Amino acid sequence: QVQLVESGGGSVQAGGSLRLSCAASAYTYSSVCMGWFRQAPGLEREGVASIDRDGRTTYADSVKGRFTISQDNAKNTLALQMNSLKPEDTAMYYCAADYDGLAARYGGGCSLYFYEYRHWAQGTQVTVSS
C-alpha cells in the first residue's frame, strides 16, 4: 500500500507564495502519474497539476503561470510551488499518485481527473486572504 504524506500548507495573503510537499513511501519513479488536487467547501475536487515519470506536466487553466509541479525521484517527493496566490485558491490540497496507468495520456502527460488516481494523501489546508 502506497502512503503519501503532505506538508507545507498554511495561510498567506493574496499575492504571496506557498510550497507544498508530498513524500511517498514507494518509488515516485514507479508511479505513472502524480498530481495535485484541491477541494473547496461545497465544490467537487478539481485537478490542479499533474506530472508523468518523464517530467511532462499538465496544469489547470486557473493556475497556469502561477503554480509549478515538480518531482524528485531520488527523494521520492512531489512538490507544488504556488506563487501569486489568490483568494480563490483557498482549498484543501491533496497529492495523489497513479501506479496503474489510469491517468496516463497517449503521447505523454497525465490527466487531471481525480477518479483516475487511486492513492491519496490526507490533505493540507491552504488559505489565501484578500
Side-chain angles (χ1 to χ4, degrees):
Q1 180 72 17
V2 177
Q3 290 187 321
L4 303 172
V5 179
E6 295 182 23
S7 59
S11 298
V12 66
Q13 289 192 326
S17 299
L18 283 173
R19 184 178 178 86
L20 305 182
S21 295
C22 178
S25 63
Y27 292 115
T28 52
Y29 192 72
S30 298
S31 67
V32 180
C33 296
M34 296 195 75
W36 289 97
F37 296 79
R38 65 187 181 187
Q39 188 167 17
L43 299 179
E44 189 175 80
R45 190 168 297 189
E46 64 172 353
V48 174
S50 64
I51 187 168
D52 71 10
R53 63 176 57 170
D54 295 321
R56 284 169 288 203
T57 58
T58 302
Y59 293 95
D61 287 343
S62 59
V63 305
K64 281 181 182 176
R66 300 188 298 122
F67 291 11
T68 303
I69 187 172
S70 60
Q71 63 184 7
D72 185 334
N73 291 326
K75 296 181 180 180
N76 298 326
T77 58
L78 181 74
L80 184 68
Q81 178 66 42
M82 304 184 293
N83 299 329
S84 302
L85 282 161
K86 304 175 181 180
E88 51 263 44
D89 294 319
T90 295
M92 186 73 79
Y93 282 70
Y94 301 87
C95 80
D98 165 37
Y99 285 82
D100 304 311
L102 297 175
R105 287 298 172 261
Y106 181 76
C110 298
S111 83
L112 294 177
Y113 295 121
F114 68 88
Y115 49 81
E116 292 179 336
Y117 292 76
R118 293 180 58 188
H119 305 279
W120 291 85
Q122 77 285 1
T124 187
Q125 179 67 37
V126 171
T127 302
V128 184
S129 58
S130 57

